[in-house]
């Protein structure tokens, strides 16, 4: 048996592929365009492994997607590929509309065509698993209940609006055509191979380089953090046992303010790689806020626990320690992802 994964060279996708092949021998066909966020180095340990077939290509390319489905006959498609960074969606929304909306549409149509030609048994077994985000639900006030699957969609950024649009397409392809879909809406992930444009890896790499740690606004925005391999295990659980057409919220039961995340990273670095110049927290710098910045996200993950018995394995304390250690152990990976394009982004976003 085979699964087709999109975006499997990105942060979560590569962790998912590595985790999948560590747990089973089921082949993975991995379709990824290798945008700035895609990195084959994340998958280096799979070199020469016949269970992993990497295809460089665009999910918007229907001919290619049709060919891969016909050739590999997957029993499931797990869709990670996306433009994923909120700040980039603010400065350049076009790529988000194309990949996140048109790309999902292209995969849905290709899957529908492929699925309708399957035998009854294969048809019943096929799954289109859409990997989405908690950001589609909008922003919570301090005492609001956490996001349940029934929460209305109120996306606030071009990124979250494009993901919300893709969620609606997935829902409609099930409702109208009967395509067997599953959607997971997950909170903020962290862990190995996280591209250092996002909060946690940016703070680690900047601190190690003695650079300012830019905290947006007052730093009191709250996110619900989940270690990335827990996200991978949640997707496996939903793919195995999730009810077709349902959505499942995935989260870490771990709400934290950004400034506390940054202070935790600094404290771990003080312990693991002390800086003779003084505590890393001296580098914390409050900067201009993100336009339209969502104040709080929190996931109510009771449905996936109740129906499928899934809970995160890592605590934040164990996951963040592993993460900081991973970055300390992989200076070459960090150096290589900080290419010219990365430096251009950093200077555009944070100025001098
Ligand atoms: P990422 O930006 O690290 O990786 C995205 C991957 O998609 C890259 O490998 C990139 O090359 C690939 N890609 C981009 N455009 C493509 C295209 N047109 N065709 C084929 N491949 C393309 O993203 P991530 O953080 O790993 O997120 C993966 C998915 O999970 C996304 O759908 C995102 O919305 C969702 N998600 C992310 C988080 C998070 O905290 N990072 C949380 C919840 C949900
Ligand atoms: O909630 C899930 C989402 O989490 C995913 O759908 C997105 O793909 C993923 O990028 C992430 O979005 P966020 O905007 O929450 O993540 P980011 O790491 O960019 O920012 C986390 C918080 O930290 C947010 O409140 C903004 C703040 N921040 C971020 C950066 C990059 C800073 O204060 N300074 C920074 O330099």
């Amino acid at each position: 048996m085979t699964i087709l994964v999109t975006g499997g060279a990105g942060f979560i996708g590569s962790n998912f592929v590595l985790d999948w092949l560590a747990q089973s021998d089921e082949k993975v066909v991995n379709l990824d365009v290798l945008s700035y966020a895609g990195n084959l180095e994340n998958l280096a340990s799979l070199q020469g492994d016949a269970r992993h077939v990497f295809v460089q290509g665009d999910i918007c390319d229907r001919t290619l997607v049709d060919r891969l489905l016909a050739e590999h006959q997957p029993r499931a498609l797990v869709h990670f590929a996306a433009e994923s960074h909120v700040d980039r969606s603010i400065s350049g929304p076009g790529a988000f509309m194309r990949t996140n909306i048109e790309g999902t549409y292209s995969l849905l149509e290709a899957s529908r065509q492929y699925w309708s030609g399957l035998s009854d048994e294969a048809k019943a077994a096929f799954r289109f698993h859409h990997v989405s985000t908690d950001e589609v639900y909008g922003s919570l006030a301090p005492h609001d209940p956490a996001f349940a699957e029934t929460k209305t969609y109120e996306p606030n950024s071009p990124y979250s609006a494009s993901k919300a649009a893709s969620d609606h397409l997935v829902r409609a392809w099930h409702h109208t055509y009967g395509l067997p879909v599953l959607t997971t809406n997950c909170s903020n992930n962290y862990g190995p191979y996280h591209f250092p444009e996002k909060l946690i890896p940016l703070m680690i790499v900047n601190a190690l380089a003695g650079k300012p740690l830019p905290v947006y606004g007052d730093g009191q925005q709250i996110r619900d953090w989940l270690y990335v391999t827990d996200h991978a295990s949640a997707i496996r659980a939903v793919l195995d046992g999730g009810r077709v057409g349902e959505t499942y919220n995935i989260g870490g039961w771990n709400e934290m303010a950004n400034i506390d995340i940054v202070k935790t990273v600094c404290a771990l670095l003080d312990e693991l790689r002390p800086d003779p110049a003084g505590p890393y927290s001296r580098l914390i710098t409050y900067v201009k806020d993100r336009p339209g910045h969502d104040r709080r996200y929190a996931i109510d993950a009771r449905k996936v626990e109740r129906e499928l018995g899934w809970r995160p394995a890592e605590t934040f304390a164990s996951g963040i320690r592993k993460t900081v250690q991973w970055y300390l152990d992989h200076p070459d990976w960090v150096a290589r992802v900080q290419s010219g394009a990365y430096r251009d982004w950093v200077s555009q976003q944070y100025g001098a």
Side-chain angles (χ1 to χ4, degrees), residues 7-13 31-39 57-60 79-84 98-99 131-134 159 163 186-189 194 197-198 231:
F11 162 49
I12 303 174
L31 171 63
D32 194 301
V33 79
L34 297 181
S35 74
Y36 78 91
N39 186 353
D58 192 331
I59 57 169
C60 297
H79 176 33
F80 294 94
E83 289 292 337
S84 69
R98 182 178 179 279
T99 289
V131 179
S132 192
T133 171
D134 60 358
Y159 163 70
K163 291 295 289 187
C186 189
S187 62
N188 286 61
N189 286 212
H194 205 180
E197 63 185 355
K198 309 279 170 61
H231 190 184

Side-chain angles (χ1 to χ4, degrees), residues 59-299:
I59 57 169
C60 297
D61 180 349
R62 257 305 288 281
T63 313
L64 173 63
V65 178
D66 286 346
R67 181 171 68 69
L68 292 176
L69 289 168
E71 192 178 317
H72 295 282
Q73 298 280 308
R75 62 146 179 127
L77 187 155
V78 187
H79 176 33
F80 294 94
E83 289 292 337
S84 69
H85 190 32
V86 174
D87 292 322
R88 287 187 194 251
S89 83
I90 294 168
S91 58
F96 290 71
M97 305 305 128
R98 182 178 179 279
T99 289
N100 300 359
I101 304 177
E102 286 176 41
T104 302
Y105 165 65
S106 153
L107 294 173
L108 284 167
E109 275 296 80
S111 299
R112 180 165 77 92
Q113 185 182 307
Y114 163 70
W115 170 76
S116 56
L118 294 175
S119 67
D120 286 350
E121 197 189 342
K123 232 174 157 171
F126 184 77
R127 295 290 181 270
F128 183 104
H129 188 130
H130 179 55
V131 179
S132 192
T133 171
D134 60 358
E135 300 204 8
V136 298
Y137 296 122
S139 185
L140 293 168
H143 300 295
D144 283 345
F147 299 132
E149 289 79 1
T150 47
K151 165 81 176 64
T152 49
Y153 272 36
E154 292 177 280
N156 289 319
S157 71
Y159 163 70
S160 55
S162 69
K163 291 295 289 187
S166 68
D167 291 9
H168 291 321
L169 294 178
V170 171
R171 179 188 154 85
W173 260 243
H174 172 63
H175 189 80
T176 303
Y177 303 113
L179 187 71
V181 306
L182 297 160
T183 296
T184 42
N185 293 86
C186 189
S187 62
N188 286 61
N189 286 212
Y190 67 100
Y193 306 115
H194 205 180
F195 193 74
E197 63 185 355
K198 309 279 170 61
L199 180 72
I200 289 179
L202 182 76
M203 295 301 144
I204 299 171
V205 307
N206 275 16
L208 290 173
K211 291 183 180 162
L213 307 179
V215 174
Y216 295 161
D218 63 3
Q220 293 301 328
Q221 302 82 5
I222 290 172
R223 298 291 182 265
D224 177 350
W225 294 92
L226 180 71
Y227 192 66
V228 64
T229 52
D230 278 326
H231 190 184
S233 74
I235 292 171
R236 274 193 277 111
V238 172
L239 192 56
D240 278 354
R243 285 183 292 132
V244 164
E246 291 289 315
T247 66
Y248 293 88
N249 286 354
I250 314 294
W253 300 105
N254 180 60
E255 287 185 56
M256 279 180 78
N258 292 339
I259 187 64
D260 296 327
I261 294 283
V262 177
K263 286 180 178 166
T264 303
V265 166
C266 289
L268 276 166
L269 286 171
D270 287 338
E271 177 194 328
L272 299 169
R273 180 70 56 86
D275 183 348
Y280 288 99
S281 56
R282 76 188 189 282
L283 300 169
I284 292 174
T285 308
Y286 289 90
V287 300
K288 194 160 86 52
D289 209 351
R290 171 185 280 176
H293 200 170
D294 285 338
R295 197 69 184 163
R296 174 177 166 236
Y297 304 141
I299 281 278

